[in-house]
Amino acid sequence: MKIGILGAGGMADALGTQWIRAGHEVTVSGRDPERARARAESMNAQVGRPGARSGSWAEAAASGEVVMVGVREAGLDDVLAAAGPALRGKPIIDVTNGAAPDRYDVTRPLARRIADLTGGHVVKAFNLCHVDVWRMTPPVFGGRPLAVPLCGDDARALDLVRGLVRDLGCTPLDGGGLDRAVQLEATAAFMIGLWFGGADAQAILPPLASSGAHEPA
């Protein structure tokens, strides 16, 4: 599958390189064309074969069967405008988080903003972990593969992203519709705040067996 990536930072490197290893082709874009080109070359070097190239925002958007948005919140609107109409109706993976966890605004969810600005089928995913987690092959903790919640409304987009989650060796989880992405973003803001404070945020949740009685899924 061809994947366009808006952004040439750590998330582009970590996720994009893993997807190249899984056999996909990636187009990386960024504000600095030379940095984007260097990022693509670095990804190819890590994998040991060509699978990444660089391009403009619009070229990355047009090239991908699915497009990942991995840019900072401050530049989000400008980047999506530069990516252009190719994003309309396309599956879009939103991996973004707010600029600062203590200032996350639940009235302005990023996933909904991306959907409104692009007309694409947005799936919120991959925003709960530090970039180094996505460099693990695979991300396994205590013998248990990492689970990745997905929030989105479009069945085809969700199916494509589930496959990309599995390509990392992770387990996709149904997190509900795109309206629930705000909860996923708020969860990230809360957990990141705990991690920044030196707390083991994972320790705040009990295992499933101790979470009470539930109806079968």
Side-chain angles (χ1 to χ4, degrees), residues 110-181:
L110 297 170
R112 177 58 64 186
R113 184 163 143 201
I114 292 170
D116 290 344
L117 289 171
T118 65
H121 300 301
V122 175
V123 177
K124 189 80 186 188
F126 303 111
N127 71 310
L128 293 183
C129 295
H130 188 273
V131 62
D132 287 345
V133 171
W134 305 121
R135 293 191 171 103
M136 297 173 66
T137 52
V140 174
F141 299 91
R144 183 175 60 182
L146 183 71
V148 180
L150 313 179
C151 293
D153 295 331
D154 184 79
R156 178 174 174 271
L158 284 164
D159 192 51
L160 288 174
V161 180
R162 287 188 195 102
L164 293 174
V165 170
R166 295 188 184 103
D167 285 338
L168 303 180
C170 299
T171 303
L173 295 181
D174 179 10
L178 193 63
D179 59 326
R180 285 173 59 88

